[in-house]
Amino acid sequence: KQWYQRRVRGSEPCSCTSPCISDKCTCTNSSGSYEISCTVCHFRKKLSNSEGVILSSDWSQPSKQGYQNVSSCSVLIESPRYTKIRLYLNEFKTECNWDFLHIHDGLSPFNTTLGVYGGLLLGENYKLLKEDRELASSSNFMYIVFRPDAFVDHEGFSISYNVGACVTDCSGHGECRDRACVCDAGWQGDACETRRCACQNGGQCQADGSCTCSAPFTGQHCTTDTRSNWWSHHKQTGSVPGGRASFGGALVGDTYWVFGGYHQTGGEDKWKMARYDLTSETWHRATDSGPSDREGHTLTAYQDSLIMFGGQVNYQVTDELWKYNISTAQWHQLNPQHARTSSMGHCSVLVNSTIYYIGGIDSAGIPIIDIQTYDIEKHKWDVIGHREMTRHFYDQSTWKRGWQDGRIYHGRYAPSCVLNPITDRITVFGGLNTTRIVGEKPDYWLQSEEETIRESTFVEYDIYLKHWGNLYRADINTIPMVYLAAASVVGKSLVIFGGRHLSVGTEQCFNSAPYLLNLETGEGRQLASFDALEGVGPLRLGHTAFTYKNSVYFFGGYNGKMHDDFIIYHLGLCEDLEDETTCLGQREDFNECMWDDTENSCHAAPISDCGKVKCYEECLSGDGFDRRCHACQTRPDCTFDQHYPDTCRAHHIVDTTGFDDLYRCRNVPNSNPSRIQCSEYKLCEHCKGECVWSILEGRCKVNIERANKEVDCSTLTRNKPCTSFTTCSKCRDHERGCMWCQLDKLHSDGGREGQCLDVTTYNARFPYGQCVKWIQKYNHSFCPAESCAAYRNCSLCQSQPECGWCDDGSGTGTGTCHSGTFYSPLQTDVCPLNSWFYETCPPCQCNGHSSCSDGTHCDSCTGHTEGAHCDRCIAGYHGDATNKGECRTCQCSHLSEANCNRLTGKCFCNTMGVTGYGCDSCEHNDYEGDPEVEGGTCYYQLTAMMNVIFQKPVLTRKINFLLNLDNTVPDDVTVQIRLVSAQNNTDWFALNATVPPKDTLTQSKKMTQNAWSVTLKKSRYNWDSHPVELRVYIEFPHHKPGRSRTLQVEVHHSSNQIDLKQFFIIFSSCIMFLVFVFLIAWSGKVRYSQYRNQRNLEIQLQERALRPFKSHRILFKGLNSLAFGQLFEVRPLSIEPLSDEKQSIASYLISLPGPKDINLAIVSGSFVSSTPYNKVISQASQQV
């Protein structure tokens, strides 16, 4: 009755437009405004209203939007028997791929999954279409579970529900009566979604209400003109294989084959293998024998067979290789000799008889850099290692944007691969890079090149050169970088649809538009024609694509729901264009038409094969200026492209500016092995060859000149891959930074399977919400129990959506936890129905340690327990007090605090260096002592051979030091201890230092200046004769757990005695050294002065030689001479010309008869000779 009354005001979705107060809010739709039930999702709730709204928070109040305080919540919607429930997403925005809303068709998570939603799904210009945001139950129950990770907060969701309403509200073209649509005139279908005989453009109406169209029109109502490009949606009814994602698909003739894939749990039978007949448009179930179901694999067609490789089987990555014979319908496992790398998320391309497998991740979650190949005819498996790929060096002046030479493909998860028909190279689009860079880049790795090859949306692999590079002029600005997309080639256009964005920080999980890329020119564009497609949203992940008869088919995929429909992009046929103008006009795709004047008709223009001309051999074999690609230059329609590595291209797409007339090859490239970035290897096992694993740094580094030996990786437990850990605790606590995922595979006892993985591979391994909860060390999460039975109290039990509490009737809160639903446990015989609690707990929750006199509050806790629910042990005791658990006395030594961990019993050691469960042992490094003896403790071992030997944070109340002095210590020793840093300025320490058995240097002295120093005299303690020990005991009286401070200890020699003998020896040596240095300096000075004098004389002689007609001056000194004291000028007697424009001058003085006491002296004069100066001077003196 209530349901029929509601039909008066309409049953379309309605969301709250006012605050949700007292579980009521105002709803507004086309029928007006009215009050409706509202529920904020918190813990567990059961709803039985005929309609209402479920909110993650009070959506109508912006200040309260978000779900930051929501750990998880679940809601059960119940309707009257034989009525169904319709659910509609009004608003939805959560953290992409981390916070999911799971919707189940039934009472609990054990029932069929209808949808798993996450990310931004409903926003401006970005939304799921009606059929994807609406769900309907097959029973009168619907169970909703929201699982956020409590790290990133978003607006959340608003969901409307109606009980008994028809799905899609009869599409607005009918009335819902008795849970069935009564369609308006002119409409038909279960949801009145099809217009009955609305045929246009000459279409004929058939008896079933469909239209038979006349060319060139097609579509449901004959409204689509096939002369232009258009989209269509085909959803098969009746026998279908079931929705799936990340499956394998291959086209053979007119049949499309699919195998495996990820299916949401429960529901109808999902076919493992199926084939779709494209001519009859019908599905057929294939054999269920052969390999196990899997996801993330590839299926490649070759002649009459299908080759399947890799994938993930039960969440374990495999290297299995299978062959399916279509004629015999038999599977055979292949085992070629060469070792294969386990892989999932790769793509495959068939070239001749060889399949190339590119990208993906291995069993450890590491991206696969190498290319794996399988030659079907030779039954040969091979691996093209990155060290085999060549790199080339070209003239920098002619290097334009294009191929970035010699860079390895870093390996991406879920890329799309096609064989480029323009160049016969393998084009790879998109993909998720899961590599985590460790450490610095090597010097030889050019960052600009590295980032280009890493982040480029499109890359190509040249099969001939074994060479990676960027796609020719690819428009990476128009087409976004996505993964889990699908792409296929039609003509020279690459059609791209769907995928998940890689932008950091965005919650727009899905690529919202299809794109086209011109494989010849690199031009990209968004397809506008998709907007005209009704009933299908563009949001898809994990689907496949293939080309059939000039159309691209996209099958399956995920967008919250799993799909098994076809979305088809049809390219208009040139042959349907009737006039030249239309024929030569611009098309939405990049394929071209040409007009034939002779036949007066339009035809598809052929695709140039210039790009397939291989210039490499001709270029490499040429010499000098004759290096040319003759195979390209002899073609009038082709041009040799110098801007790219000696490539032939169609003439109309190449910019020939700056080319010479011969279009010669550039300098012949030197092919060298690519250098590898060692930091890419995250595992020791992969760090080989040019690289070596550094145990100290825990990473892979360049092995310079092979100077370091290879490491035995089996001994390094910290470098084990995360996938090697099979338990949550080992995974969570591992140093590598692993995360544990609880999977959606739910067992009947409430337990879930789990897997350990590297956090960088999370988006690759679980893109569809398979990880219902993740645990990592830094988020302080507890590992989940293996089953419901492991939860020991009601609140913990009910924190798991699949568990409920069975009270034992004692009235003290004890009982057992079991898997179940709101109404009963799954195994009804384990608990009476009147003792089953699923939504709330029994009022008295005292864990068997007390009773409740007032029915809800515990009277007084017994058994050494405390708390409002007597759920924890008192100080000094430990154990799990829940559900009648026993509390036991802490067993700790005298070196621990008064209490222990109340749950585990592990003691809190109060002295640094003391360890062990009961604080009964010393740490092996730097500490010594025996805590188990009476009064024993642990000491930090000091040494007198260093200066600052201890500077560490102290996290405990006490720390002890021990300094051993023996005959190896020659001098007095000074020890200084000071508090370097503390959390507050009032911190101080008390110190007690002893030198047994003689002295107590200080006794519990308060160090007000935060420092202490002592000097031990060797003359007093005589440690040359017997060893001496200095023991220092430090305590921080105001210590609190979690407080730290840094101590610095310095030990150095401080001798005051002077050794006179040694002093004089050193002093004498220094004096002699100084004298020797002085003599060397003086000798050098004298030699330098002589050199300068000689040089000055030579300069003077040079100057005089330049003045040859100057006269000599002669002084007569004889006393009796008449010329005494007079100067006479004597001019040269002879001048002799010499070479080099110089002259030889000779002056002679002749002694004539006269007095013997006359002395002559040459006052000035000059001469030049080609002989050495000293020889000339000697000769002149003799002559004088």
Side-chain angles (χ1 to χ4, degrees):
K1 179 179 179 181
Q2 190 180 49
W3 177 77
Y4 280 109
Q5 289 175 346
R6 184 169 50 78
R7 283 298 304 159
V8 176
R9 60 171 182 257
S11 61
E12 69 262 29
C14 195
S15 185
C16 290
T17 56
S18 68
C20 184
I21 301 175
S22 300
D23 294 337
K24 295 290 182 181
C25 72
T26 300
C27 169
T28 303
N29 60 13
S30 60
S31 300
S33 298
Y34 56 93
E35 192 175 66
I36 193 173
S37 171
C38 61
T39 301
V40 177
C41 188
H42 179 67
F43 198 56
R44 291 179 175 178
K45 292 188 177 181
K46 182 171 67 173
L47 307 177
S48 56
N49 303 304
S50 60
E51 63 178 336
V53 178
I54 303 172
L55 307 168
S56 60
S57 59
D58 195 345
W59 187 271
S60 62
Q61 302 184 57
S63 61
K64 295 185 178 181
Q65 289 184 7
Y67 48 85
Q68 187 173 10
N69 297 323
V70 178
S71 56
S72 65
C73 63
S74 56
V75 176
L76 176 67
I77 305 173
E78 180 182 11
S79 67
R81 199 172 184 182
Y82 305 119
T83 61
K84 297 181 180 180
I85 303 166
R86 171 192 172 208
L87 200 71
Y88 194 81
L89 305 182
N90 300 315
E91 305 287 346
F92 199 97
K93 185 177 182 181
T94 64
E95 185 184 6
C96 179
N97 208 36
W98 293 95
D99 300 342
F100 285 99
L101 181 74
H102 295 249
I103 302 173
H104 301 273
D105 186 7
L107 279 166
S108 71
F110 293 96
N111 297 107
T112 302
T113 302
L114 294 175
V116 180
Y117 295 91
L120 173 61
L121 300 178
L122 302 168
E124 185 178 357
N125 300 324
Y126 185 85
K127 59 180 62 178
L128 288 173
L129 295 187
K130 189 173 183 180
E131 70 172 30
D132 289 325
R133 62 199 290 192
E134 186 175 50
L135 301 99
S137 68
S138 61
S139 66
N140 59 322
F141 294 102
M142 186 176 282
Y143 191 81
I144 302 171
V145 184
F146 181 50
R147 294 183 174 95
D149 63 4
F151 272 84
V152 178
D153 184 32
H154 286 292
E155 287 86 338
F157 56 82
S158 170
I159 304 174
S160 298
Y161 66 91
N162 292 318
V163 172
C166 296
V167 175
T168 70
D169 194 30
C170 301
S171 305
H173 305 300
E175 186 176 354
C176 190
R177 299 178 183 175
D178 195 20
R179 301 178 299 281
C181 287
V182 178
C183 299
D184 297 337
W187 294 90
Q188 64 180 4
D190 294 337
C192 303
E193 75 280 8
T194 305
R195 187 185 293 273
R196 185 178 180 85
C197 278
C199 305
Q200 301 181 30
N201 298 311
Q204 300 297 317
C205 180
Q206 303 301 312
D208 59 357
S210 63
C211 295
T212 300
C213 303
S214 302
F217 295 98
T218 186
Q220 186 176 358
H221 308 299
C222 303
T223 56
T224 301
D225 191 340
T226 60
R227 290 172 294 188
S228 59
N229 298 357
W230 80 99
W231 289 86
S232 68
H233 178 219
H234 180 71
K235 184 172 178 60
Q236 188 75 21
T237 58
S239 181
V240 291
R244 63 192 66 207
S246 293
F247 55 91
L251 178 68
V252 181
D254 296 326
T255 303
Y256 185 64
W257 296 81
V258 296
F259 183 93
Y262 174 75
H263 316 271
Q264 289 174 338
T265 57
E268 60 190 30
D269 182 27
K270 308 293 193 306
W271 300 357
K272 182 170 68 173
M273 188 175 185
R275 58 183 177 89
Y276 181 74
D277 192 324
L278 289 160
T279 55
S280 63
E281 297 184 347
T282 55
W283 280 102
H284 303 277
R285 189 166 190 163
T287 177
D288 286 334
S289 61
S292 303
D293 205 351
R294 63 198 61 209
E295 59 188 273
H297 54 288
T298 55
L299 197 67
T300 308
Y302 178 72
Q303 296 179 357
D304 193 37
S305 61
L306 303 173
I307 308 297
M308 183 175 67
F309 170 65
Q312 182 175 237
V313 180
N314 293 324
Y315 295 104
Q316 299 297 319
V317 182
T318 180
D319 65 348
E320 291 180 354
L321 184 68
W322 290 81
K323 180 178 181 180
Y324 179 75
N325 190 301
I326 297 176
S327 301
T328 62
Q330 296 292 322
W331 281 101
H332 302 283
Q333 188 168 4
L334 305 175
N335 292 293
Q337 291 184 353
H338 198 289
R340 302 182 298 276
T341 300
S342 300
S343 176
M344 70 169 293
H346 52 275
C347 60
S348 63
V349 174
L350 178 68
V351 181
N352 299 324
S353 64
T354 302
I355 305 175
Y356 288 76
Y357 296 102
I358 299 174
I361 56 176
D362 61 15
S363 57
I366 308 300
I368 299 174
I369 300 175
D370 300 335
I371 296 177
Q372 303 188 86
T373 65
Y374 176 60
D375 190 318
I376 303 172
E377 294 293 337
K378 298 179 180 179
H379 185 53
K380 179 183 178 182
W381 189 273
D382 199 4
V383 175
I384 305 175
H386 47 267
R387 293 183 179 88
E388 299 176 44
M389 302 177 190
T390 58
R391 84 191 249 189
H392 301 276
F393 301 90
Y394 292 97
D395 185 359
Q396 295 282 336
S397 62
T398 59
W399 191 357
K400 292 188 177 181
R401 185 173 73 87
W403 285 58
Q404 302 297 318
D405 299 320
R407 298 300 166 222
I408 60 174
Y409 178 64
H410 285 265
R412 297 176 182 150
Y413 172 80
S416 300
C417 300
V418 297
L419 184 63
N420 190 332
I422 308 299
T423 61
D424 275 348
R425 298 184 180 123
I426 298 176
T427 298
V428 182
F429 163 69
L432 174 65
N433 189 345
T434 62
T435 301
R436 178 165 55 191
I437 302 297
V438 181
E440 297 295 330
K441 298 181 179 71
D443 293 336
Y444 58 74
W445 192 273
L446 302 179
Q447 184 174 355
S448 60
E449 297 175 5
E450 179 224 358
E451 296 303 327
T452 300
I453 194 70
R454 179 192 299 277
E455 300 302 336
S456 179
T457 308
F458 298 91
V459 293
E460 276 196 330
Y461 179 70
D462 191 301
I463 302 169
Y464 179 84
L465 284 181
K466 296 182 179 179
H467 186 291
W468 277 108
N470 289 342
L471 181 63
Y472 177 82
R473 295 177 179 173
D475 187 356
I476 59 176
N477 296 319
T478 300
I479 303 177
M481 185 76 158
V482 295
Y483 68 105
L484 288 170
S488 187
V489 177
V490 54
K492 59 181 177 182
S493 297
L494 180 66
V495 186
I496 303 165
F497 175 72
R500 172 161 288 168
H501 275 284
L502 301 180
S503 301
V504 178
T506 181
E507 304 311 327
Q508 186 173 319
C509 281
F510 299 88
N511 179 26
S512 58
Y515 296 90
L516 272 179
L517 179 75
N518 189 328
L519 292 172
E520 187 176 41
T521 65
E523 180 185 354
R525 67 174 59 146
Q526 181 177 330
L527 289 175
S529 62
F530 190 84
D531 298 335
L533 180 60
E534 298 180 358
V536 177
L539 314 183
R540 291 288 173 96
L541 295 180
H543 47 298
T544 58
F546 63 93
T547 300
Y548 178 73
K549 292 184 178 180
N550 214 47
S551 298
V552 180
Y553 287 68
F554 299 94
F555 172 71
Y558 160 85
N559 62 359
K561 293 179 179 179
M562 289 292 174
H563 292 273
D564 57 1
D565 56 349
F566 284 102
I567 299 174
I568 310 169
Y569 180 59
H570 306 270
L571 278 73
L573 299 175
C574 295
E575 288 73 13
D576 292 338
L577 303 178
E578 299 175 352
D579 60 88
E580 184 177 0
T581 302
T582 308
C583 176
L584 300 180
Q586 186 176 4
R587 295 165 56 96
E588 182 185 48
D589 63 278
F590 297 106
N591 298 307
E592 300 171 347
C593 298
M594 58 184 298
W595 184 257
D596 189 341
D597 291 327
T598 57
E599 298 181 2
N600 202 30
S601 60
C602 188
H603 302 282
I607 299 175
S608 172
D609 62 347
C610 294
K612 298 181 180 181
V613 176
K614 304 303 181 185
C615 299
Y616 314 110
E617 291 183 353
E618 287 193 75
C619 290
L620 292 173
S621 61
D623 294 323
F625 291 100
D626 194 37
R627 291 198 302 267
R628 286 175 288 172
C629 184
H630 297 276
C632 179
Q633 289 184 260
T634 55
R635 296 272 301 272
D637 57 331
C638 300
T639 294
F640 186 68
D641 189 345
Q642 293 190 97
H643 293 324
Y644 291 81
D646 307 321
T647 303
C648 188
R649 300 194 186 280
H651 193 281
H652 66 281
I653 68 169
V654 176
D655 177 15
T656 58
T657 302
F659 283 16
D660 55 37
D661 294 336
L662 294 177
Y663 300 143
R664 300 184 188 91
C665 305
R666 286 169 292 176
N667 292 331
V668 178
N670 297 320
S671 297
N672 295 319
S674 295
R675 303 200 70 175
I676 307 305
Q677 187 172 1
C678 296
S679 60
E680 292 292 341
Y681 297 122
K682 296 191 291 182
L683 295 181
C684 174
E685 289 77 6
H686 294 175
C687 186
K688 304 293 182 183
E690 300 177 19
C691 309
V692 67
W693 189 263
S694 171
I695 300 177
L696 183 62
E697 300 179 39
R699 67 186 183 99
C700 191
K701 301 175 63 177
V702 178
N703 191 0
I704 301 175
E705 297 181 356
R706 305 295 177 94
N708 300 307
K709 296 181 179 179
E710 291 188 357
V711 177
D712 183 3
C713 300
S714 61
T715 62
L716 306 177
T717 56
R718 68 184 294 249
N719 294 311
K720 288 184 177 180
C722 295
T723 51
S724 64
F725 299 100
T726 57
T727 63
C728 173
S729 58
K730 290 183 178 180
C731 175
R732 179 195 60 187
D733 299 334
H734 187 49
E735 296 178 11
R736 185 176 175 81
C738 306
M739 66 184 299
W740 180 264
C741 268
Q742 263 192 300
L743 305 178
D744 56 356
K745 299 184 69 173
L746 186 60
H747 301 303
S748 60
D749 61 357
R752 292 183 180 272
E753 293 186 16
Q755 189 175 47
C756 188
L757 67 151
D758 192 304
V759 66
T760 60
T761 64
Y762 169 82
N763 287 317
R765 299 297 296 272
F766 306 121
Y768 311 120
Q770 305 101 305
C771 181
V772 299
K773 183 179 181 180
W774 60 274
I775 298 95
Q776 203 173 14
K777 190 173 184 178
Y778 72 85
N779 70 351
H780 307 294
S781 297
F782 292 101
C783 285
E786 295 181 356
S787 65
C788 293
Y791 295 102
R792 292 174 52 83
N793 64 19
C794 181
S795 60
L796 286 175
C797 176
Q798 292 185 356
S799 66
Q800 306 301 313
E802 54 274 2
C803 301
W805 186 254
C806 180
D807 188 70
D808 61 3
S810 65
T812 62
T814 54
T816 53
C817 186
H818 302 277
S819 56
T821 68
F822 265 89
Y823 293 98
S824 67
L826 291 185
Q827 299 178 2
T828 56
D829 57 340
V830 300
C831 182
L833 294 182
N834 59 353
S835 299
W836 180 249
F837 292 85
Y838 189 83
E839 186 175 2
T840 59
C841 289
C844 183
Q845 289 293 304
C846 300
N847 287 288
H849 301 296
S850 179
S851 57
C852 303
S853 300
D854 60 358
T856 57
H857 299 91
C858 299
D859 296 332
S860 60
C861 298
T862 61
H864 309 294
T865 62
E866 64 179 7
H869 302 288
C870 303
D871 55 352
R872 65 178 184 270
C873 297
I874 63 174
Y877 290 81
H878 70 93
D880 186 357
T882 60
N883 213 25
K884 292 184 180 180
E886 180 184 358
C887 291
R888 298 176 295 277
T889 306
C890 295
Q891 302 294 325
C892 300
S893 72
H894 62 285
L895 298 177
S896 68
E897 302 293 347
N899 303 324
C900 63
N901 185 296
R902 299 190 185 191
L903 186 62
T904 65
K906 190 178 187 304
C907 301
F908 302 111
C909 304
N910 63 11
T911 303
M912 192 167 176
V914 177
T915 186
Y917 191 83
C919 299
D920 51 7
S921 61
C922 295
E923 293 182 6
H924 295 296
N925 298 328
D926 301 324
Y927 290 90
E928 66 176 32
D930 188 359
E932 293 185 324
V933 301
E934 184 177 356
T937 186
C938 296
Y939 300 91
Y940 184 89
Q941 182 68 40
L942 299 175
T943 175
M945 303 307 293
M946 297 176 64
N947 210 356
V948 178
I949 57 175
F950 181 90
Q951 184 168 333
K952 295 181 181 179
V954 180
L955 302 174
T956 56
R957 181 183 300 274
K958 301 177 182 179
I959 183 171
N960 307 317
F961 295 97
L962 176 64
L963 175 62
N964 291 304
L965 303 174
D966 54 24
N967 56 8
T968 61
V969 181
D971 306 317
D972 296 348
V973 173
T974 297
V975 179
Q976 294 178 341
I977 300 176
R978 57 177 170 269
L979 195 59
V980 177
S981 63
Q983 292 185 347
N984 57 67
N985 295 328
T986 62
D987 203 1
W988 56 277
F989 62 88
L991 181 142
N992 186 9
T994 64
V995 181
K998 269 191 175 184
D999 295 329
T1000 298
L1001 304 180
T1002 182
Q1003 187 172 5
S1004 299
K1005 182 180 178 181
K1006 178 179 178 180
M1007 299 299 129
T1008 56
Q1009 299 300 321
N1010 296 332
W1012 175 81
S1013 176
V1014 66
T1015 299
L1016 302 181
K1017 301 288 187 178
K1018 184 175 182 180
S1019 59
R1020 172 176 173 79
Y1021 294 101
N1022 191 22
W1023 48 70
D1024 281 339
S1025 302
H1026 53 83
V1028 173
E1029 292 181 344
L1030 171 64
R1031 298 184 181 184
V1032 181
Y1033 305 89
I1034 296 177
E1035 181 176 359
F1036 299 91
H1038 295 167
H1039 173 75
K1040 293 182 179 179
R1043 175 179 293 184
S1044 67
R1045 73 281 295 168
T1046 300
L1047 272 181
Q1048 184 184 78
V1049 181
E1050 294 186 14
V1051 181
H1052 54 83
H1053 298 178
S1054 56
S1055 175
N1056 293 322
Q1057 298 179 358
I1058 299 178
D1059 190 335
L1060 295 178
K1061 180 180 179 180
Q1062 186 176 9
F1063 171 79
F1064 282 113
I1065 291 175
I1066 296 175
F1067 179 81
S1068 301
S1069 299
C1070 292
I1071 294 298
M1072 292 179 64
F1073 176 78
L1074 292 175
V1075 171
F1076 179 74
V1077 171
F1078 175 79
L1079 292 176
I1080 292 177
W1082 177 259
S1083 176
K1085 181 179 182 303
V1086 171
R1087 288 178 177 272
Y1088 182 72
S1089 298
Q1090 292 175 348
Y1091 166 78
R1092 290 196 60 182
N1093 293 335
Q1094 181 70 25
R1095 182 60 180 165
N1096 289 337
L1097 179 59
E1098 295 171 2
I1099 293 173
Q1100 291 176 5
L1101 294 177
Q1102 287 279 3
E1103 291 177 349
R1104 291 168 184 170
L1106 297 177
R1107 297 177 296 172
F1109 297 102
K1110 293 292 183 181
S1111 60
H1112 295 282
R1113 292 183 180 184
I1114 303 173
L1115 176 65
F1116 291 86
K1117 295 182 179 181
L1119 295 177
N1120 298 322
S1121 174
L1122 296 176
F1124 173 77
Q1126 296 185 30
L1127 289 173
F1128 293 91
E1129 290 188 357
V1130 181
R1131 294 192 176 275
L1133 300 182
S1134 65
I1135 299 176
E1136 179 184 2
L1138 299 177
S1139 61
D1140 299 327
E1141 298 180 358
K1142 295 181 180 180
Q1143 296 173 334
S1144 177
I1145 303 171
S1147 298
Y1148 299 91
L1149 295 181
I1150 304 172
S1151 180
L1152 299 177
K1156 300 298 183 182
D1157 57 346
I1158 297 177
N1159 294 318
L1160 302 179
I1162 298 177
V1163 176
S1164 64
S1166 62
F1167 52 86
V1168 175
S1169 174
S1170 60
T1171 58
Y1173 288 117
N1174 58 349
K1175 185 175 180 181
V1176 173
I1177 292 172
S1178 177
Q1179 292 174 353
S1181 299
Q1182 292 176 3
Q1183 290 173 357
V1184 172

